[in-house]
Structures are given as structure tokens and as C-alpha cells.
């Protein structure tokens, strides 16, 4: 499949009647031959629905990885998870100024403002597609205007959304640098490595989808990004307008999609409190690796070390917690490298602590004890036990 892919590039030079150089951004297009793959060679691995039963995402599997549709110009728009896929946290309301902001000039950022901006981001990404977003490096929040119409350099053409060709060289009397050839080559390499065509439709490579379970909701998200990395600093610049906690990605329990049916076992209140915000319509477990639950129980052990109060907890509870503390303290700095027997004992102690207070604070401990263990059975005649 041959397509025209736009890309941006930078030109630096000196304009007429000027002495000092400046830089401008240009846009050009390159024709690329995208691999055509038969649908039977790219089986569906996972179909996700949103909380209301509408389509959320379809994942296909090819060459050891997952692939999603590149754009949704004539279909349901992308969702908040796709904002995170390209390296941004979805926006959320901010009604009070932070410690570093003055109240005099502060303007509250309401939930309606956040929903509007998130809708603009998902609509813009849906219209131009992931490939063109990555190659043109446009601002995710300014791809479309408030009426959800494409902004320059994109426009509504007769055959769909197109990108204008802009040559800034015409503005200069002297060109000092131009990286158009380098950017053209990078665009070709990126497209041919990360995009395939299935039945005339473009599909983009994506990270593996995962279940993220936290205190508020249980949702799905990608296990990584295809753009810049997500900002992990909760208190960094601009973090007040980034929806980390509401999407339950920060400090969440990260589970394989194959564990979806076990959610009520690990989170007993998930159904009653309507915490599950997505549904699985179809899944082929063969394409998903066996989940590693050790990081989850390590997370719970760290959390359990803070769950004891001499003033409010009962004597039996404190006694049991001290057993856990004495088990963990000698290896606290090397916790992740302990053997299975250590974690078995720690999980049992944490579940006993939960039983004493009638709560389910340590789902990672439950996942650890319920994990599937591969047994090494005898295979040869010489391996038969003797009596």
C-alpha cells in the first residue's frame, strides 16, 4: 500500500532586511510503500469495550507484538488511554491554586474545561492518525479547534484530512541549515517499521495492553508509550492539570489481561462499588505472557510495613504485624530478590492481617498465593522414585 506521509522539518536562515538568523518549521510529504499483510496473518488478540459497552480498542497480533488501528476518522474516537499512549496525561479539573500559584490571577480549571480539552486531544488524534501525529510532531492539544475541526497545517480535503505543504525557504534570503532530508529519511524508516496495512487500512504498532487496578477504578491502559515518556513526577511543573490518579495508572496494580476474570477474587468490592471501567469482548490468551506477580506482592509488603498503630490496633494484630516486620526487616533493601518461600510466608501473614480487620488491603498477596506454578515432573525412566 502506497501512501503519502507528511512530516515536519526545520529551516534556519536570515530573512530580508534582517541581520540575525531565525528558524521556521516546514511541512512536506513523502511517498512510502507500507507492507500489506493478509488479515489471516494478523489475528485478533483482544477486543475491549468501555464501561457502557461501546468499542474501546481492538488489538491484533503480528511479529510478536500488538497492533491497533492508526486512525478513526469515520468511527468512534480514541479514548483517554490513547492520550497516554503518545506521552501525555489526560487533563483533569483544578479548582484551587497550588502552593506556588497566587490566587489573584488564578483561574479555576473546571471539569468541563478538562473534558473539552481531552475531547479535542482524542478527536485530533483520531482524525490525523497516530502515524501523522508522530511524523509531524504537532501539539496534541491543538490539532483541532474548539469546534473539533482540524487546524493548520491539517485541513479537510476532498478525500479526508490532509496536510498542507509549507516551504519556509521562500521566506529567507540566506539559508543556513535545513534538515528536510534527514527528517524525510526518519519518516520513511518510522512508517515502515511501525505501520502495516490490513485490507487497505493502516494499523500501528502498540505496547501490550494491561489491567491497572487502584483505589478508585480498575481500568485498562497501554504498558508503555510510543512517544515521549509519561512524566512520573506527580508534583512536577504542570502536573496539577494532569489526570494521573483518576486514570489509576500511578501506583496501580498492573495485571495481565488474562487475569480479568480473577478481578473479583483479588478485589472483592470491585463489582459492588462498580470499580471496573471496561469489559473484554474477546481475548486469545495465547498472545499474552504469564504475568509476573512478584512486583505486586513486593508493593504490598512495602505498604504493609506502614499498616500498624500501637494506639488503635489490637494486640493480636500488632503481634502478627511484628512477625511480618521481623521477616522483612533483614532483607528490606533486597526485597525483590527473595525466593518463593519468603513471599509465600509474607503473603500468608498479610492476609491474616487483613482478616483481623475485615479488609482487603493486599490484593498482591492474594495474586501471589493464587499464581500458577510450573511443576517440574519426572520425564525419564531413571527419574522414577525409589521405594
Amino acid at each position: 500500500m502506497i501512501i503519502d506521509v507528511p512530516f515536519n522539518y526545520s529551516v534556519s536562515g536570515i530573512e530580508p532586511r534582517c541581520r540575525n538568523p531565525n528558524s521556521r518549521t516546514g511541512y512536506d510529504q513523502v511517498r512510502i510503500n507500507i507492507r500489506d499483510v493478509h488479515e489471516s496473518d494478523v489475528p485478533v488478540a483482544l477486543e475491549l469495550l468501555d464501561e457502557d459497552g461501546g468499542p474501546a480498542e481492538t488489538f491484533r497480533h503480528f511479529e510478536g507484538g500488538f497492533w491497533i488501528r492508526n486512525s478513526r476518522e469515520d468511527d468512534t474516537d480514541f479514548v483517554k488511554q490513547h492520550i497516554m499512549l503518545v506521552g501525555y496525561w489526560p487533563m483533569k479539573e483544578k479548582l484551587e491554586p497550588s502552593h506556588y500559584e497566587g490566587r489573584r490571577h488564578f483561574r479555576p480549571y473546571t471539569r468541563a474545561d478538562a473534558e473539552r480539552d481531552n475531547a479535542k486531544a482524542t478527536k485530533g488524534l483520531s482524525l490525523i492518525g497516530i502515524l501523522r501525529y508522530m511524523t509531524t510532531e504537532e501539539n496534541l492539544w491543538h490539532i483541532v479547534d474548539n469546534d473539533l475541526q482540524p487546524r493548520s497545517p491539517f485541513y479537510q480535503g476532498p478525500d479526508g484530512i490532509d496536510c498542507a505543504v509549507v516551504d519556509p525557504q521562500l521566506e529567507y534570503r540566506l539559508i543556513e541549515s535545513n534538515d528536510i532530508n534527514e527528517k524525510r529519511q526518519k519518516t520513511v524508516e518510522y512508517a515502515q517499521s511501525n505501520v502495516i496495512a490490513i485490507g487497505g487500512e493502516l494499523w500501528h504498532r502498540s505496547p501490550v495492553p494491561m489491567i491497572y487496578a487502584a483505589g478508585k477504578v480498575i481500568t485498562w491502559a497501554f504498558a508503555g508509550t510510543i512517544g515521549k515518556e509519561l512524566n512520573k513526577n506527580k508534583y512536577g511543573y504542570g502536573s496539577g492539570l494532569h489526570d494521573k490518579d483518576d486514570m489509576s495508572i500511578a501506583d496501580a496494580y498492573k495485571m495481565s489481561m488474562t487475569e480479568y476474570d480473577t478481578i473479583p477474587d483479588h478485589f472483592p468490592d470491585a463489582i459492588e462499588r462498580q470499580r471496573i471501567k471496561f469489559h473484554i469482548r474477546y481475548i486469545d490468551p495465547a498472545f499474552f505472557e504469564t504475568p509476573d506477580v512478584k512486583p505486586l506482592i513486593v508493593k504490598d509488603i512495602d505498604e504493609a510495613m506502614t499498616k500498624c498503630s500501637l494506639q488503635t490496633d489490637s494486640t493480636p494484630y500488632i503481634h502478627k504485624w511484628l512477625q511480618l516486620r521481623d521477616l522483612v526487616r533483614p532483607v528490606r533493601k533486597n526485597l525483590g530478590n527473595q525466593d518463593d518461600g519468603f513471599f509465600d510466608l509474607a503473603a500468608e501473614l498479610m492476609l491474616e492481617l487483613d482478616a483481623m480487620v475485615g479488609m482487603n488491603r493486599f490484593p498482591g498477596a492474594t495474586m501471589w498465593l493464587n499464581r500458577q506454578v510450573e511443576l517440574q515432573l519426572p520425564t525419564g525412566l531413571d527419574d522414577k522414585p525409589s521405594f
Side-chain angles (χ1 to χ4, degrees), residues 154-220:
F154 296 100
Y155 64 92
Q156 182 68 50
D159 298 324
I161 303 299
D162 206 346
C163 182
V165 174
V166 179
D167 186 1
Q169 296 182 96
L170 304 177
E171 305 293 331
Y172 296 107
R173 62 180 175 86
L174 177 64
I175 304 296
E176 292 190 344
S177 65
N178 187 345
D179 64 356
I180 184 173
N181 292 329
E182 178 184 352
K183 284 295 189 72
R184 181 184 292 112
Q185 181 62 29
K186 287 184 177 180
T187 299
V188 173
E189 293 175 356
Y190 182 88
Q192 292 181 338
S193 300
N194 295 281
V195 180
I196 59 175
I198 306 174
E201 184 178 34
L202 297 181
W203 288 68
H204 196 287
R205 190 188 301 272
S206 82
V208 59
M210 302 286 291
I211 298 172
Y212 287 81
K216 293 184 178 181
V217 299
I218 300 175
T219 186
W220 73 275

Side-chain angles (χ1 to χ4, degrees), residues 51 216-218 269-277:
E51 186 178 9
K216 293 184 178 181
V217 299
I218 300 175
D269 63 343
I271 297 178
E272 179 182 354
R273 295 174 55 187
Q274 299 182 347
R275 294 171 58 193
I276 305 176
K277 301 301 180 182

Side-chain angles (χ1 to χ4, degrees), residues 106-278:
F106 176 76
R107 186 181 73 86
Y109 187 77
T110 65
R111 179 176 298 181
D113 294 330
E115 291 178 351
R116 177 204 62 211
D117 289 340
N118 288 330
K120 289 172 60 178
T122 54
K123 185 65 175 182
L125 192 61
S126 300
L127 288 177
I128 70 172
I130 301 173
L131 173 61
R132 288 192 287 189
Y133 169 77
M134 296 298 296
T135 57
T136 59
E137 301 176 338
E138 287 299 292
N139 188 318
L140 179 66
W141 311 100
H142 295 92
I143 297 175
V144 298
D145 56 25
N146 289 335
D147 296 324
L148 302 183
Q149 297 302 311
R151 301 175 60 176
S152 177
F154 296 100
Y155 64 92
Q156 182 68 50
D159 298 324
I161 303 299
D162 206 346
C163 182
V165 174
V166 179
D167 186 1
Q169 296 182 96
L170 304 177
E171 305 293 331
Y172 296 107
R173 62 180 175 86
L174 177 64
I175 304 296
E176 292 190 344
S177 65
N178 187 345
D179 64 356
I180 184 173
N181 292 329
E182 178 184 352
K183 284 295 189 72
R184 181 184 292 112
Q185 181 62 29
K186 287 184 177 180
T187 299
V188 173
E189 293 175 356
Y190 182 88
Q192 292 181 338
S193 300
N194 295 281
V195 180
I196 59 175
I198 306 174
E201 184 178 34
L202 297 181
W203 288 68
H204 196 287
R205 190 188 301 272
S206 82
V208 59
M210 302 286 291
I211 298 172
Y212 287 81
K216 293 184 178 181
V217 299
I218 300 175
T219 186
W220 73 275
F222 299 92
T225 65
I226 59 175
K228 65 178 185 179
E229 292 295 323
L230 286 167
N231 177 22
K232 298 298 192 301
N233 183 6
K234 187 175 182 179
Y235 303 102
Y237 175 76
S239 63
L241 294 182
H242 291 101
D243 191 354
K244 291 187 178 183
D245 295 332
D246 292 352
M247 287 305 300
S248 297
I249 300 303
D251 301 324
Y253 290 91
K254 191 175 178 181
M255 305 162 55
S256 170
M257 281 292 173
T258 56
E259 300 294 297
Y260 181 84
D261 291 338
T262 68
I263 289 178
D265 298 331
H266 308 316
F267 303 91
D269 63 343
I271 297 178
E272 179 182 354
R273 295 174 55 187
Q274 299 182 347
R275 294 171 58 193
I276 305 176
K277 301 301 180 182
F278 75 103

